[in-house]
Amino acid sequence: MISNQLKLLKERRKLTNQQLSDLSGVPIGTINRIMAGQTDNPSFQTVCDIVMAMDGSLDELVGIKEETHQEKKTANKEIIHLYESMLANKEKWMHRLFICCCILMAVLIGIVIFDLTNPQIGFFQGR
């Protein structure tokens, strides 16, 4: 039973036995025996290492809860992508607003300088 569940998880992740061995640290011979169903009772630590290497859950393996981990990861990636695009859009608008404020300040400073250098006209008139 465990070997069947591990095979399904391995197929979903599209891993070979060698890749699984490299990721989990479990010897390739042990993985081959477990996947072939030749080991009736693999150790808990071995099964745990294999499942964790495949980003799985021991609860899902024994049927305690359904597989929602991958769905949550996909939803989280979509939310993160949406959030990043919103931030990029806001950053563009903040940059545009900053440029507009700089232009406005330059125009106001130019008007004040013009006003002070021409005492006959404007707000600061010399009398």
Side-chain angles (χ1 to χ4, degrees):
M1 174 165 165
I2 288 179
S3 63
N4 293 336
Q5 295 296 333
L6 288 173
K7 282 184 207 175
L8 288 174
L9 190 58
K10 185 182 88 155
E11 288 171 5
R12 279 190 225 141
R13 303 299 191 261
K14 296 180 176 140
L15 294 172
T16 64
N17 285 355
Q18 183 61 50
Q19 291 171 328
L20 189 54
S21 174
D22 293 341
L23 289 171
S24 66
V26 176
I28 185 74
T30 304
I31 289 181
N32 288 335
R33 283 191 305 276
I34 291 172
M35 294 298 172
Q38 295 172 351
T39 304
D40 293 333
N41 192 12
S43 73
F44 176 78
Q45 186 61 49
T46 302
V47 173
C48 183
D49 290 342
I50 293 171
V51 171
M52 297 308 280
M54 292 189 286
D55 290 329
S57 166
L58 292 173
D59 289 344
E60 293 171 13
L61 184 69
V62 295
I64 293 175
K65 76 177 184 184
E66 296 176 14
E67 183 178 350
T68 58
H69 185 67
Q70 188 65 26
E71 294 170 2
K72 286 181 183 179
K73 277 187 177 180
T74 304
N76 287 343
K77 285 180 183 179
E78 290 173 3
I79 290 170
I80 289 171
H81 178 69
L82 178 63
Y83 182 71
E84 287 174 347
S85 65
M86 287 174 54
L87 283 177
N89 192 27
K90 286 182 181 182
E91 189 173 314
K92 285 181 194 176
W93 280 103
M94 292 295 288
H95 182 68
R96 292 174 184 164
L97 182 60
F98 177 74
I99 298 294
C100 289
C101 287
C102 289
I103 292 170
L104 181 61
M105 287 301 293
V107 168
L108 287 175
I109 290 172
I111 290 172
V112 169
I113 290 173
F114 178 78
D115 196 6
L116 290 174
T117 56
N118 295 306
Q120 310 81 299
I121 55 173
F123 290 111
F124 303 106
Q125 295 180 357
R127 291 183 189 205

